[in-house]
Amino acid sequence: MTGVGARQAGSMSYREAMREAMREALAADDRVFLMGEDVGRYGGAFGVSLGLVEEFGPERVRDTPLSESGFVGAGIGAAIAGLRPIVEVMTVNFSLLALDQILNNAATLLHMSGGQVAVPLVIRMTTGAGRQLAAQHSHSLEAFYAHIPGIRVLAPATVADARWMLAPALADPDPVIVFEHGSLYNGTDSTADEPGPVDLGSAVVRRPGADLSLITYGGSLGKALTAAEQLAAQDEVDAEVVDLRSLRPLDDATVIGSVRRTHRAVIVDEGWRTGGLSAEVAARITEQAFYDLDAPVERVCGAEVPVPYAAQLEQAALPQVPDIVAAALRAVG
């Protein structure tokens, strides 16, 4: 490993895991290139691509103008032409400027062409709040994209998933959107270098339990795991924690299997409650496991406001561990 983005051996951060995944992809396949605002000499808005331009050159790590629709559209064209672009969008808020390209072109061309025009494109973007970046840089709009047929939506919550999800995403013939929660970039894991197969369509039980299911994804996984430990220590409630990992398609089998074991469900989603992913997961549980439930499905979501800048207000607007614990205790009665 070379360049200013080199990391220390023995431990890998989420940021470094994404960088390693991109480095491996760039080295393995000449068709792969990275494109986005400041991804080259600056190393990306969050330092994820630091050092890659020095290693692979500006033809394969390409800085773009501040024009999300333009460079996402260019990525779609490159994918159609046979390349394997990785397009970085600074935050999910700005991706709305490219929503027309994603929805009306990337997601639809394979279907509108009768299977003749595939768009094997990966779009990475930061999502989520908690860093005082104010409303236009902090929202969780994953549900917007999970609503769209024709694309795959991933939310790696662990360093290992950040390290190993990119390769199968690049191999997917359909467009794949990868949501990286901004609070995860500095998290580390000493085992993430260990290769492991990643099934892009599967949720994972991160903590087994018997009394209720805490179902979440992305930046909320750590809070759910902390809440589960508190519940076990203080209230003798054994919570199972399910990491969705894939937001489209949702892994119904793992979610429903967990609820059928525990008979109670709490869904934790940093996004807005109305029309959000938590609503979709709750609907599927009631459709498929209604008679297995011993209590109504609980939801812990972000407040229905633009994410505030002020630290106290921002924290108050987000799901927190005490909120999850309280919902879990309501569920178990």
PDB file of all heavy atoms in Angstrom, residues 106-129:
ATOM      1  N   ALA A 106     -30.698   5.493 -14.902  1.00  0.00           N
ATOM      2  CA  ALA A 106     -29.997   4.317 -14.358  1.00  0.00           C
ATOM      3  C   ALA A 106     -30.958   3.184 -14.012  1.00  0.00           C
ATOM      4  O   ALA A 106     -30.713   2.014 -14.333  1.00  0.00           O
ATOM      5  CB  ALA A 106     -29.187   4.722 -13.125  1.00  0.00           C
ATOM      6  N   ALA A 107     -32.048   3.514 -13.345  1.00  0.00           N
ATOM      7  CA  ALA A 107     -32.958   2.472 -12.852  1.00  0.00           C
ATOM      8  C   ALA A 107     -33.862   1.898 -13.928  1.00  0.00           C
ATOM      9  O   ALA A 107     -34.412   0.807 -13.747  1.00  0.00           O
ATOM     10  CB  ALA A 107     -33.804   3.037 -11.711  1.00  0.00           C
ATOM     11  N   THR A 108     -34.045   2.612 -15.009  1.00  0.00           N
ATOM     12  CA  THR A 108     -35.077   2.207 -15.974  1.00  0.00           C
ATOM     13  C   THR A 108     -34.548   1.657 -17.300  1.00  0.00           C
ATOM     14  O   THR A 108     -35.275   0.954 -18.000  1.00  0.00           O
ATOM     15  CB  THR A 108     -35.984   3.402 -16.299  1.00  0.00           C
ATOM     16  OG1 THR A 108     -35.179   4.454 -16.836  1.00  0.00           O
ATOM     17  CG2 THR A 108     -36.705   3.914 -15.058  1.00  0.00           C
ATOM     18  N   LEU A 109     -33.303   1.976 -17.668  1.00  0.00           N
ATOM     19  CA  LEU A 109     -32.859   1.672 -19.028  1.00  0.00           C
ATOM     20  C   LEU A 109     -32.877   0.177 -19.335  1.00  0.00           C
ATOM     21  O   LEU A 109     -33.208  -0.228 -20.460  1.00  0.00           O
ATOM     22  CB  LEU A 109     -31.461   2.258 -19.277  1.00  0.00           C
ATOM     23  CG  LEU A 109     -31.439   3.778 -19.454  1.00  0.00           C
ATOM     24  CD1 LEU A 109     -30.006   4.293 -19.543  1.00  0.00           C
ATOM     25  CD2 LEU A 109     -32.214   4.182 -20.712  1.00  0.00           C
ATOM     26  N   LEU A 110     -32.511  -0.655 -18.365  1.00  0.00           N
ATOM     27  CA  LEU A 110     -32.515  -2.101 -18.615  1.00  0.00           C
ATOM     28  C   LEU A 110     -33.923  -2.572 -18.961  1.00  0.00           C
ATOM     29  O   LEU A 110     -34.121  -3.369 -19.880  1.00  0.00           O
ATOM     30  CB  LEU A 110     -31.990  -2.849 -17.392  1.00  0.00           C
ATOM     31  CG  LEU A 110     -31.903  -4.371 -17.550  1.00  0.00           C
ATOM     32  CD1 LEU A 110     -30.836  -4.746 -18.571  1.00  0.00           C
ATOM     33  CD2 LEU A 110     -31.607  -5.048 -16.214  1.00  0.00           C
ATOM     34  N   HIS A 111     -34.909  -2.061 -18.246  1.00  0.00           N
ATOM     35  CA  HIS A 111     -36.294  -2.480 -18.456  1.00  0.00           C
ATOM     36  C   HIS A 111     -36.861  -1.873 -19.738  1.00  0.00           C
ATOM     37  O   HIS A 111     -37.551  -2.545 -20.507  1.00  0.00           O
ATOM     38  CB  HIS A 111     -37.132  -2.072 -17.243  1.00  0.00           C
ATOM     39  CG  HIS A 111     -36.573  -2.589 -15.951  1.00  0.00           C
ATOM     40  ND1 HIS A 111     -36.918  -3.810 -15.430  1.00  0.00           N
ATOM     41  CD2 HIS A 111     -35.670  -2.062 -15.093  1.00  0.00           C
ATOM     42  CE1 HIS A 111     -36.248  -4.023 -14.300  1.00  0.00           C
ATOM     43  NE2 HIS A 111     -35.500  -2.966 -14.070  1.00  0.00           N
ATOM     44  N   MET A 112     -36.570  -0.589 -19.982  1.00  0.00           N
ATOM     45  CA  MET A 112     -37.120   0.079 -21.160  1.00  0.00           C
ATOM     46  C   MET A 112     -36.499  -0.431 -22.456  1.00  0.00           C
ATOM     47  O   MET A 112     -37.088  -0.292 -23.529  1.00  0.00           O
ATOM     48  CB  MET A 112     -36.927   1.597 -21.037  1.00  0.00           C
ATOM     49  CG  MET A 112     -37.723   2.216 -19.889  1.00  0.00           C
ATOM     50  SD  MET A 112     -37.412   3.988 -19.706  1.00  0.00           S
ATOM     51  CE  MET A 112     -38.151   4.625 -21.207  1.00  0.00           C
ATOM     52  N   SER A 113     -35.305  -1.033 -22.341  1.00  0.00           N
ATOM     53  CA  SER A 113     -34.635  -1.542 -23.547  1.00  0.00           C
ATOM     54  C   SER A 113     -34.882  -3.028 -23.748  1.00  0.00           C
ATOM     55  O   SER A 113     -34.239  -3.643 -24.607  1.00  0.00           O
ATOM     56  CB  SER A 113     -33.128  -1.278 -23.447  1.00  0.00           C
ATOM     57  OG  SER A 113     -32.558  -2.051 -22.400  1.00  0.00           O
ATOM     58  N   GLY A 114     -35.778  -3.592 -22.967  1.00  0.00           N
ATOM     59  CA  GLY A 114     -36.032  -5.029 -23.096  1.00  0.00           C
ATOM     60  C   GLY A 114     -34.818  -5.861 -22.723  1.00  0.00           C
ATOM     61  O   GLY A 114     -34.577  -6.919 -23.316  1.00  0.00           O
ATOM     62  N   GLY A 115     -34.039  -5.390 -21.758  1.00  0.00           N
ATOM     63  CA  GLY A 115     -32.882  -6.145 -21.295  1.00  0.00           C
ATOM     64  C   GLY A 115     -31.619  -5.928 -22.107  1.00  0.00           C
ATOM     65  O   GLY A 115     -30.609  -6.592 -21.874  1.00  0.00           O
ATOM     66  N   GLN A 116     -31.619  -4.973 -23.039  1.00  0.00           N
ATOM     67  CA  GLN A 116     -30.455  -4.777 -23.908  1.00  0.00           C
ATOM     68  C   GLN A 116     -29.437  -3.790 -23.341  1.00  0.00           C
ATOM     69  O   GLN A 116     -28.268  -3.812 -23.717  1.00  0.00           O
ATOM     70  CB  GLN A 116     -30.926  -4.271 -25.282  1.00  0.00           C
ATOM     71  CG  GLN A 116     -31.842  -5.228 -26.016  1.00  0.00           C
ATOM     72  CD  GLN A 116     -32.279  -4.675 -27.354  1.00  0.00           C
ATOM     73  OE1 GLN A 116     -31.535  -4.700 -28.330  1.00  0.00           O
ATOM     74  NE2 GLN A 116     -33.497  -4.155 -27.404  1.00  0.00           N
ATOM     75  N   VAL A 117     -29.864  -2.872 -22.451  1.00  0.00           N
ATOM     76  CA  VAL A 117     -28.971  -1.816 -21.966  1.00  0.00           C
ATOM     77  C   VAL A 117     -28.868  -1.908 -20.444  1.00  0.00           C
ATOM     78  O   VAL A 117     -29.720  -1.398 -19.714  1.00  0.00           O
ATOM     79  CB  VAL A 117     -29.467  -0.415 -22.385  1.00  0.00           C
ATOM     80  CG1 VAL A 117     -28.513   0.666 -21.870  1.00  0.00           C
ATOM     81  CG2 VAL A 117     -29.608  -0.325 -23.897  1.00  0.00           C
ATOM     82  N   ALA A 118     -27.806  -2.565 -19.967  1.00  0.00           N
ATOM     83  CA  ALA A 118     -27.559  -2.651 -18.532  1.00  0.00           C
ATOM     84  C   ALA A 118     -26.748  -1.433 -18.083  1.00  0.00           C
ATOM     85  O   ALA A 118     -26.024  -0.826 -18.872  1.00  0.00           O
ATOM     86  CB  ALA A 118     -26.806  -3.929 -18.199  1.00  0.00           C
ATOM     87  N   VAL A 119     -26.901  -1.079 -16.809  1.00  0.00           N
ATOM     88  CA  VAL A 119     -26.168   0.070 -16.256  1.00  0.00           C
ATOM     89  C   VAL A 119     -25.429  -0.402 -14.996  1.00  0.00           C
ATOM     90  O   VAL A 119     -25.880  -0.185 -13.873  1.00  0.00           O
ATOM     91  CB  VAL A 119     -27.120   1.234 -15.922  1.00  0.00           C
ATOM     92  CG1 VAL A 119     -26.318   2.458 -15.475  1.00  0.00           C
ATOM     93  CG2 VAL A 119     -28.000   1.591 -17.115  1.00  0.00           C
ATOM     94  N   PRO A 120     -24.266  -1.041 -15.155  1.00  0.00           N
ATOM     95  CA  PRO A 120     -23.511  -1.539 -13.992  1.00  0.00           C
ATOM     96  C   PRO A 120     -22.715  -0.416 -13.330  1.00  0.00           C
ATOM     97  O   PRO A 120     -21.508  -0.288 -13.490  1.00  0.00           O
ATOM     98  CB  PRO A 120     -22.596  -2.594 -14.609  1.00  0.00           C
ATOM     99  CG  PRO A 120     -22.362  -2.100 -16.005  1.00  0.00           C
ATOM    100  CD  PRO A 120     -23.629  -1.405 -16.434  1.00  0.00           C
ATOM    101  N   LEU A 121     -23.399   0.358 -12.535  1.00  0.00           N
ATOM    102  CA  LEU A 121     -22.855   1.583 -11.946  1.00  0.00           C
ATOM    103  C   LEU A 121     -22.943   1.492 -10.428  1.00  0.00           C
ATOM    104  O   LEU A 121     -23.946   1.012  -9.893  1.00  0.00           O
ATOM    105  CB  LEU A 121     -23.700   2.775 -12.440  1.00  0.00           C
ATOM    106  CG  LEU A 121     -23.582   4.111 -11.725  1.00  0.00           C
ATOM    107  CD1 LEU A 121     -22.273   4.792 -12.098  1.00  0.00           C
ATOM    108  CD2 LEU A 121     -24.771   4.998 -12.106  1.00  0.00           C
ATOM    109  N   VAL A 122     -21.910   1.960  -9.722  1.00  0.00           N
ATOM    110  CA  VAL A 122     -21.967   2.075  -8.262  1.00  0.00           C
ATOM    111  C   VAL A 122     -21.914   3.553  -7.894  1.00  0.00           C
ATOM    112  O   VAL A 122     -21.015   4.277  -8.338  1.00  0.00           O
ATOM    113  CB  VAL A 122     -20.805   1.321  -7.584  1.00  0.00           C
ATOM    114  CG1 VAL A 122     -20.772   1.639  -6.080  1.00  0.00           C
ATOM    115  CG2 VAL A 122     -20.950  -0.178  -7.791  1.00  0.00           C
ATOM    116  N   ILE A 123     -22.883   4.000  -7.113  1.00  0.00           N
ATOM    117  CA  ILE A 123     -22.908   5.370  -6.609  1.00  0.00           C
ATOM    118  C   ILE A 123     -22.735   5.312  -5.101  1.00  0.00           C
ATOM    119  O   ILE A 123     -23.533   4.672  -4.402  1.00  0.00           O
ATOM    120  CB  ILE A 123     -24.227   6.082  -6.959  1.00  0.00           C
ATOM    121  CG1 ILE A 123     -24.448   6.085  -8.472  1.00  0.00           C
ATOM    122  CG2 ILE A 123     -24.226   7.518  -6.420  1.00  0.00           C
ATOM    123  CD1 ILE A 123     -25.808   6.648  -8.888  1.00  0.00           C
ATOM    124  N   ARG A 124     -21.692   5.948  -4.593  1.00  0.00           N
ATOM    125  CA  ARG A 124     -21.468   6.034  -3.146  1.00  0.00           C
ATOM    126  C   ARG A 124     -21.865   7.424  -2.671  1.00  0.00           C
ATOM    127  O   ARG A 124     -21.601   8.417  -3.342  1.00  0.00           O
ATOM    128  CB  ARG A 124     -19.993   5.820  -2.811  1.00  0.00           C
ATOM    129  CG  ARG A 124     -19.384   4.513  -3.234  1.00  0.00           C
ATOM    130  CD  ARG A 124     -17.874   4.490  -2.922  1.00  0.00           C
ATOM    131  NE  ARG A 124     -17.576   5.211  -1.710  1.00  0.00           N
ATOM    132  CZ  ARG A 124     -16.831   6.341  -1.685  1.00  0.00           C
ATOM    133  NH1 ARG A 124     -16.322   6.840  -2.779  1.00  0.00           N
ATOM    134  NH2 ARG A 124     -16.617   6.959  -0.533  1.00  0.00           N
ATOM    135  N   MET A 125     -22.458   7.494  -1.492  1.00  0.00           N
ATOM    136  CA  MET A 125     -22.761   8.808  -0.936  1.00  0.00           C
ATOM    137  C   MET A 125     -22.842   8.723   0.589  1.00  0.00           C
ATOM    138  O   MET A 125     -23.146   7.678   1.158  1.00  0.00           O
ATOM    139  CB  MET A 125     -24.061   9.378  -1.513  1.00  0.00           C
ATOM    140  CG  MET A 125     -25.304   8.586  -1.219  1.00  0.00           C
ATOM    141  SD  MET A 125     -26.764   9.327  -2.005  1.00  0.00           S
ATOM    142  CE  MET A 125     -26.634   8.690  -3.684  1.00  0.00           C
ATOM    143  N   THR A 126     -22.527   9.862   1.224  1.00  0.00           N
ATOM    144  CA  THR A 126     -22.622   9.952   2.683  1.00  0.00           C
ATOM    145  C   THR A 126     -24.045  10.297   3.081  1.00  0.00           C
ATOM    146  O   THR A 126     -24.725  11.056   2.384  1.00  0.00           O
ATOM    147  CB  THR A 126     -21.660  11.029   3.196  1.00  0.00           C
ATOM    148  OG1 THR A 126     -20.352  10.738   2.725  1.00  0.00           O
ATOM    149  CG2 THR A 126     -21.651  11.069   4.713  1.00  0.00           C
ATOM    150  N   THR A 127     -24.470   9.747   4.180  1.00  0.00           N
ATOM    151  CA  THR A 127     -25.805  10.025   4.678  1.00  0.00           C
ATOM    152  C   THR A 127     -25.739  10.249   6.187  1.00  0.00           C
ATOM    153  O   THR A 127     -24.728  10.001   6.830  1.00  0.00           O
ATOM    154  CB  THR A 127     -26.750   8.848   4.364  1.00  0.00           C
ATOM    155  OG1 THR A 127     -28.100   9.209   4.719  1.00  0.00           O
ATOM    156  CG2 THR A 127     -26.356   7.598   5.167  1.00  0.00           C
ATOM    157  N   GLY A 128     -26.818  10.772   6.754  1.00  0.00           N
ATOM    158  CA  GLY A 128     -26.968  10.812   8.197  1.00  0.00           C
ATOM    159  C   GLY A 128     -26.474  12.069   8.874  1.00  0.00           C
ATOM    160  O   GLY A 128     -25.793  12.904   8.271  1.00  0.00           O
ATOM    161  N   ALA A 129     -26.837  12.173  10.147  1.00  0.00           N
ATOM    162  CA  ALA A 129     -26.559  13.361  10.952  1.00  0.00           C
ATOM    163  C   ALA A 129     -25.667  13.003  12.135  1.00  0.00           C
ATOM    164  O   ALA A 129     -25.155  11.900  12.236  1.00  0.00           O
ATOM    165  CB  ALA A 129     -27.879  13.963  11.433  1.00  0.00           C
TER     166      ALA A 129
END
